[in-house]
Amino acid sequence: MPTPLFTPTTKAQEGHDMPISFEETCNLIGKDLAEKVKEKTIAIYEKCANYAKTKGIIIADTKFEFGLDENENLILADEVLTPDSSRFWPAEDYEIGHSQKSFDKQYLRDWLKQNNWSPENPIPIPQEVIEKVREKYIQAYEKLTGKNF
């Protein structure tokens, strides 16, 4: 995409975060704060995506969680740009039109879906699946840092 998209969400009672519009975000937290969150989100994403690109990784998407400290200052909270909160794709393998190879949790998500895993049906995850996810996370770390894990 030519420019990053800002796609706000809010916490749901259960399950995944719920997408909301920018207008809804403004209604929830105020227009000034919503604009600031949007500006910071895009700035952080662009800086990190540009860095990752130099290491052969496309950051296809990511999530940031913001909050306010005791003085009402905007703070970035929770994990940031990990394989759990982002989609990391190897640039060399990127092809438009189908699922991408990745260095993130998508492999595990796919396995869970293929095996009908759910909180109501929490089947054990095989060790080889766990090792494959671990391997992908280590690959992302090593590509991004240039260091051995």
Side-chain angles (χ1 to χ4, degrees), residues 102 104-111 129 132-133 136:
S102 69
D104 55 56
K105 68 181 176 183
Q106 191 60 46
Y107 175 81
L108 178 59
R109 281 183 167 168
D110 292 345
W111 185 90
V129 173
K132 182 76 171 178
V133 173
K136 288 175 171 294

Side-chain angles (χ1 to χ4, degrees), residues 22-144:
F22 185 69
E23 182 179 317
E24 290 170 302
T25 304
C26 293
N27 291 338
L28 285 171
I29 65 173
K31 186 171 184 347
D32 289 345
L33 185 56
E35 289 286 352
K36 189 172 185 179
V37 168
K38 180 179 179 179
E39 174 189 314
K40 296 294 184 189
T41 297
I42 291 173
I44 295 166
Y45 171 80
E46 285 180 330
K47 181 172 185 157
C48 296
N50 289 335
Y51 172 81
K53 188 184 267 185
T54 70
K55 303 297 184 177
I57 291 180
I58 297 168
I59 301 177
D61 68 25
T62 194
K63 82 172 181 179
F64 298 120
E65 294 187 25
F66 290 92
L68 298 173
D69 70 10
E70 65 278 359
N71 298 313
E72 300 294 309
N73 295 308
L74 183 65
I75 57 170
L76 181 57
D78 202 23
E79 63 185 291
V80 176
L81 293 153
T82 70
D84 282 342
S85 65
S86 308
R87 292 181 199 262
F88 295 151
W89 297 343
E92 68 217 23
D93 296 327
Y94 177 74
E95 290 182 14
I96 295 173
H98 59 83
S99 294
Q100 304 300 317
K101 292 181 182 178
S102 69
F103 300 116
D104 55 56
K105 68 181 176 183
Q106 191 60 46
Y107 175 81
L108 178 59
R109 281 183 167 168
D110 292 345
W111 185 90
L112 294 171
K113 187 175 181 179
Q114 290 168 358
N115 290 277
N116 298 313
W117 190 99
S118 71
E120 299 77 34
N121 181 35
I123 60 176
I125 300 170
Q127 189 62 35
E128 61 267 17
V129 173
I130 294 167
E131 288 300 318
K132 182 76 171 178
V133 173
R134 181 179 185 276
E135 178 185 307
K136 288 175 171 294
Y137 282 33
I138 290 171
Q139 287 175 319
Y141 171 85
E142 290 179 344
K143 283 185 81 66
L144 288 168

